Amino acid sequence: MPITNERNPMTLAQLNAVCPSAFTRVAAPNVSTNYTHIPTSQVIEDMIELGWTPVSAQEVKSRKAVGFQKHIIRFQNQNITINGANNDNVFPELLLTNSHDGKNAFHLRVGLYRTVCSNGLVVADAEFSNVSIRHMGYTFEELRTQVVNLIETLPNLVNKINQFRDISLSDEQMIEFATQAAMVRWNNPDITINPDELLVAERNLDMGNDLWAVFNRVQEKLVNGGFNYNNGRKTRKVRALKNFTADMHFNGKLWELAEEYLN
């Protein structure tokens, strides 16, 4: 039997309630006459037919482009799991982004969902690069081909995670990683944090100095916030990353930072 996780499959009605822009049946009025409108809902149904169930959805808040704004749907296949010790299991995900304003093609990229911390990661690597699907000429067969291509990279992903687990970091390296990770999020030299706060383990499974554990501890803190930072003038509380575009960018860059420690 497949291992289950905390994410429950979403029905089309549930998706429509939280992400109505994915179900817009027409393109934005300002797009080119050459624009071919393919509603994201059609791709969602095609993904379901391919065995990938929607488990999360979000759209960018917008006042001017309501119904046409950028959105993301995360999919899981319950038969595909990366099993870790002590039930530290990771579910590969396919992340679909799109908009109906003519500014974005469909993009599919690989993500991860780690059950013990309920955090979604985004994989950034040449081996797992995202694929773009144009609206014009979209077909179910093309989607199937792109999904198969991404699935074929999953053994490499398992290998990469195992490499993370096999690398031990010194105390100095852990502090360095946490400090650099904070710079990835803010890219502002005036912002300072206490790296020790990012390295505190919230659960036993995250204890240790292997790169995978350190990566997950730091990622969870920087995504969820709740700790203090100083912007050069005053100390403030870090807010959670709510914007999914910023979240994906940060996660991808953080993955790249972790890979530097494999060399």
Side-chain angles (χ1 to χ4, degrees), residues 4-65:
T4 58
N5 66 34
E6 293 89 343
R7 291 219 208 225
N8 294 318
M10 297 182 70
T11 65
L12 294 180
Q14 289 171 326
L15 287 172
N16 194 9
V18 299
C19 189
S21 58
F23 292 81
T24 300
R25 306 306 300 182
V26 296
N30 60 330
V31 301
S32 164
T33 55
N34 296 323
Y35 177 78
T36 302
H37 180 72
I38 303 294
T40 303
S41 55
Q42 178 179 334
V43 185
I44 293 172
E45 292 179 12
D46 289 346
M47 289 289 290
I48 293 173
E49 187 170 342
L50 291 170
W52 290 84
T53 304
V55 292
S56 174
Q58 188 180 355
E59 61 183 22
V60 172
K61 292 182 179 180
S62 174
R63 294 180 180 178
K64 297 182 179 179

Side-chain angles (χ1 to χ4, degrees), residues 75-144:
F75 297 85
Q76 288 183 0
N77 186 319
Q78 291 293 312
N79 295 311
I80 302 178
T81 312
I82 300 174
N83 297 319
N86 301 314
N87 291 320
D88 185 8
N89 302 317
V90 177
F91 282 77
E93 296 187 331
L94 295 183
L95 284 58
L96 173 68
T97 57
N98 185 38
S99 70
H100 293 140
D101 58 4
K103 296 180 180 179
N104 297 276
F106 293 108
H107 281 276
L108 272 175
R109 68 194 72 204
V110 176
L112 296 171
Y113 180 79
R114 186 167 176 251
T115 58
V116 298
C117 63
S118 301
N119 256 20
L121 312 177
V122 177
V123 175
D125 188 294
E127 297 174 272
F128 320 114
S129 58
N130 70 84
V131 296
S132 177
I133 302 174
R134 296 182 62 193
H135 289 229
M136 183 177 295
Y138 169 81
T139 64
F140 176 79
E141 289 305 319
E142 181 187 5
L143 178 67
R144 188 211 301 269

Side-chain angles (χ1 to χ4, degrees), residues 197-217:
E197 289 193 67
L198 305 186
L199 295 168
V200 174
E202 299 294 334
R203 56 193 68 83
N204 289 336
L205 279 175
D206 282 339
M207 296 180 67
N209 65 340
D210 66 273
L211 179 57
W212 180 244
V214 173
F215 169 78
N216 279 282
R217 294 204 301 269

